[in-house]
Amino acid sequence: MYTIYVYVLDTLADWEIGCVTAELHSGRFFKKDAPRLSLKTVSDSKLPILTMGGLTIMPDCSIDDMVISETSVLVLPGADTWNDPKHGAIIEKAGEFLSLGATVCAICGATTALASFGLLDHRPHTSNGPGFLEMFSPSYKGQSFYIDRPSVADNNLITASSTGALPWAKQIIEHLGVFEANTLEAWYEYFRTGEPERFFALMQTLPHSRDH
């Protein structure tokens, strides 16, 4: 079973994790033999956090409660508060995840935190455009590994820009193997284009649509 830890912090950018958390939690488009998932929110304390959208989240667990294995996934959303030193603990944990073969998924501001700890110096990655990481992470040395795309997957590290939430979600879902390949492609095309016919194409890929 996969355990998905979503790190929550004040000013969390709600929309950046919306697609991936909704699909992984609901399982509405999962294939028949998809691995089971458990989704938990984690924070530096048990205190409630307030998202950028004004929603209050009560963390399910603290950083010390996390269990790391190859089936653990850490999701790091963007936020305006990543420069607070208290978040160093989760980035240290992200380093442990990567070393142990567990998966780390970071988007927008979270990539600057990874960069500051040297976790992007030797692996393909992306962020909010060339120069962004140097601006916010002076110790960053991974320029030669930077790829200017909305989302970049490098084995167990998946990074994205602030506008790359949808392709980031696609790469995370693909990495976990919970959708059939044709379902994932149809899902992505529907949400990318908004074309009604894409929705019907998506529904046709689901097991129940073939059983009737």
Side-chain angles (χ1 to χ4, degrees), residues 1-2 27 29-37 176-180:
M1 182 174 78
Y2 283 102
F29 300 133
F30 280 16
K31 60 187 182 183
K32 278 186 174 178
D33 57 345
R36 291 171 54 230
L37 302 180
L176 295 174
V178 290
F179 282 20
E180 295 287 3

Side-chain angles (χ1 to χ4, degrees), residues 1-5 20-28 30 34-40 71-73 172-173 175-179:
M1 182 174 78
Y2 283 102
T3 302
I4 318 295
Y5 293 104
V20 69
T21 54
E23 299 305 352
L24 295 184
H25 178 70
S26 70
R28 58 181 179 164
F30 280 16
R36 291 171 54 230
L37 302 180
S38 170
L39 195 147
K40 298 180 179 181
T71 55
S72 303
V73 179
I172 295 170
I173 292 167
H175 180 76
L176 295 174
V178 290
F179 282 20

Side-chain angles (χ1 to χ4, degrees), residues 46 58 85 91 112 132 173 176 189 197:
K46 291 291 185 72
M58 289 296 297
I91 301 304
T112 65
F132 178 81
I173 292 167
L176 295 174
E189 288 303 314
E197 58 269 28

Side-chain angles (χ1 to χ4, degrees), residues 68-72 95-104 156 175:
I68 308 176
S69 72
E70 287 190 5
T71 55
S72 303
E96 293 178 36
F97 268 66
L98 293 173
S99 297
L100 293 171
T103 302
V104 173
N156 62 332
H175 180 76

Side-chain angles (χ1 to χ4, degrees), residues 183-194:
T183 300
L184 180 58
E185 199 56 40
W187 174 87
Y188 180 71
E189 288 303 314
Y190 172 59
F191 284 101
R192 184 182 70 83
T193 66

